[in-house]
Amino acid sequence: MKLIIVAGTPGAGKTSILLHTIKILKQSYKPSVVKIDCLNTDDDKRFAKLDVPVLLGLAKDMCPDHFSIYNIQEMIEFANKNKSDMLIMETAGLCHRCAPYTNNSIGVCIIDATSGPNNPTKVGPFLSSADIVAITKGDIISQAEREIFRERILEVNPNCKIIDMNGISGQGAAELANMISKITICESKTDSLRHNAPFSVCTLCVGEKRVDKKHHRGLLRKMDGFQQYIGE
Amino acid sequence: MHIIENITIIGGFDKKGNPEIITELIVNKGEIIGIVGPTGSGKSQLISDIEQLAQFDTSSKRQILINGKTPSYELRNNPRKKMVAQLSQNMNFVADMTVTEFLTLHAKCRGKSINDVGKIITLANELTGEPIKQNDNLTILSGGQSRALMVADVAIISESPIVLIDEIENAGIKKYEALELLSGQGKIVLVVTHDPVLALTSQKRIFMKNGAMQGIIFSTVEERIASEKLNIIDKNMLVLREKVRAGETITNINF
Ligand SMILES: Nc1nc2c(ncn2[C@@H]2O[C@H](COP(=O)(O)OP(=O)(O)O)[C@@H](O)[C@H]2O)c(=O)[nH]1
Ligand SMILES: [Mg+2]
């Protein structure tokens, strides 16, 4: 089964782009869709209108990217149960530090052109380790800036395929669908992440609410960049 | 640079799924074509089809040919080979940098060595009443200044053989001069507009309805005379506008 993992900051246009693209993919595949979010979302209802099986996962207290990685097997079972040959996952896309793509998935990064030409150098592995980068909202910035934005993406991820997309009109959806069809890689049980998740685990991760430094244990990093393990 | 003699727009389908009345339209180099029609009639979609060099893969299902042939993947996707420059009313600058930094960066992206960005700014300033300064931040430019800078950038840095303009009439720039600058020698220019100053300048206009190309209107001799008169009025309007902006009183209007 093809596994497509779609990452990008909230509001970048992930759902809008996917709605247009799934309409096209449906002509040759039987896709299932999983939406991962933190606390709440309407995206599952938006996908359900396409008449495809939709599964919603809410990460609640867990980091949403970790949640989606931890639950991949269950998502694949869901897709299998629905006799799908393709699983599309839209992540919550909150943190720039994680990249949820696995080696055997197709990693699609959706990035908003209005975030400014310095943004691509700031966002980290979900951009630099993607196979396909879709740039949205190019309709509201000048063509010159669109071109600069594109070059900046190539500086960070020289091997990616870039598509100019529009989540409202559906521009570029046929091309994204075509690229997804052409990449033949399939998910497997021995799959691993392309990029490690952050390794700092501290007392805040397990629910400590008090702010003062003296309450914290774990792998901690100071403002000046000094990182150390505090604890037993 | 790829030499373009003409582009062919092969008609697709209207919003109800009926085939377009205009099934094929060839636009030759040196031509300025207007695109007119009510809001929602599909003018911007037509522009966007040309911008992407659509191959039956947009909602209108049109195809665009270059010199009578299907354009290559490279031509469609590599921005360095990009033959289409575009300007639209909704476009803004969002980059947090100065005008000079921006122009230098864009020239670099296009693989051009521009040693004098000042020339581009001077050109832009001929189109707008409020001068742009080299060290102005892009994001503080007014609508008119932004549009003027985009026009000058398209004319000098992008230099694309196909130019698409989507409703720049309310931008507060010298429209006629902007169009002249953009159309350059031997370019293909398509202008979406409701503005008689621009619409009557074009030799032909495509009339859009329900998402489809409905007909072609050829401009008449009367229209061309009207266009010249309108252009004079337009320039006077811009002068008045700057006077009002500068806090002056208007004493006499003679045009
Ligand atoms: N102008 C413009 N708006 C867009 C584009 N793509 C998406 N949007 C709008 O951006 C908002 C967020 O889109 P959505 O798909 O929900 O983003 P997500 O949070 O990444 O899934 C919606 O209001 C969309 O209509 C685009 O290409 N251009
Ligand atoms: Mg979404």
Side-chain angles (χ1 to χ4, degrees), chain B residues 42-56:
Chain B
K43 303 184 295 289
S44 295
Q45 181 61 44
L46 179 59
I47 286 278
S48 157
D49 287 343
I50 299 168
E51 206 263 333
Q52 300 166 60
L53 304 177
Q55 300 300 318
F56 312 108

Side-chain angles (χ1 to χ4, degrees), chain A residues 140 143 145 147 150 171 175, chain B residues 84 86 93 95 106 110:
Chain A
I140 45 184
Q143 186 178 14
E145 265 182 277
E147 290 172 9
R150 187 184 179 106
Q171 172 200 344
E175 191 159 347
Chain B
V84 185
Q86 198 184 12
F93 286 126
H106 185 216
R110 278 270 179 167

Side-chain angles (χ1 to χ4, degrees), chain A residues 113-114 116-117 139-148 150-152 161 164 169 171-172 174-175 179, chain B residues 51-52 57 73 77 79-80 82 84-86 88 90-95 97 102 105-106 109-110 150 153:
Chain A
T114 65
D139 54 318
I140 45 184
I141 65 166
S142 68
Q143 186 178 14
E145 265 182 277
R146 263 191 330 252
E147 290 172 9
I148 295 171
R150 187 184 179 106
E151 288 293 314
R152 282 282 158 86
K161 293 253 186 209
D164 283 315
S169 73
Q171 172 200 344
E175 191 159 347
M179 279 186 193
Chain B
E51 206 263 333
Q52 300 166 60
D57 55 356
Y73 180 84
N77 291 285
R80 292 228 169 113
K82 206 148 191 167
V84 185
Q86 198 184 12
S88 100
N90 327 331
M91 286 181 180
N92 299 292
F93 286 126
V94 295
M97 53 178 89
F102 165 73
L105 197 56
H106 185 216
C109 284
R110 278 270 179 167
M150 284 179 206
D153 174 277

Side-chain angles (χ1 to χ4, degrees), chain B residues 91-202:
Chain B
M91 286 181 180
N92 299 292
F93 286 126
V94 295
D96 187 14
M97 53 178 89
T98 67
V99 170
T100 304
E101 283 167 343
F102 165 73
L103 292 172
T104 313
L105 197 56
H106 185 216
K108 199 177 127 213
C109 284
R110 278 270 179 167
K112 282 233 165 83
S113 57
I114 298 268
N115 33 31
D116 189 13
V117 294
K119 198 177 118 203
I120 304 173
I121 298 173
T122 309
L123 202 57
N125 284 339
E126 282 167 19
L127 302 176
T128 165
E130 314 160 86
I132 302 164
K133 291 185 230 58
Q134 300 218 346
N135 291 324
D136 280 349
N137 204 288
L138 269 189
T139 47
I140 65 144
L141 299 184
S142 71
Q145 289 177 316
S146 299
R147 225 60 65 204
L149 190 64
M150 284 179 206
V151 170
D153 174 277
V154 166
I156 296 187
I157 298 180
S158 304
E159 262 194 302
S160 307
I162 303 170
V163 179
L164 307 173
I165 304 164
D166 196 349
E167 301 192 40
I168 54 162
E169 49 254 41
N170 300 322
I173 58 171
K174 292 181 195 156
K175 293 169 259 197
Y176 187 82
E177 271 81 356
L179 192 60
E180 225 169 27
L181 186 62
L182 287 172
S183 55
Q185 318 84 346
K187 287 191 185 179
I188 290 174
V189 183
L190 286 102
V191 201
V192 171
T193 186
H194 308 277
D195 185 330
V197 181
L198 293 176
L200 302 185
T201 306
S202 60

Side-chain angles (χ1 to χ4, degrees), chain A residues 8-24:
Chain A
T9 49
K14 297 181 294 297
T15 309
S16 314
I17 291 292
L18 283 175
L19 290 173
H20 288 288
T21 309
I22 291 168
K23 268 187 211 153
I24 301 167

Side-chain angles (χ1 to χ4, degrees), chain A residues 116-129:
Chain A
N118 293 326
N119 197 44
T121 51
K122 286 186 228 156
V123 296
F126 81 78
L127 172 62
S128 62
S129 64

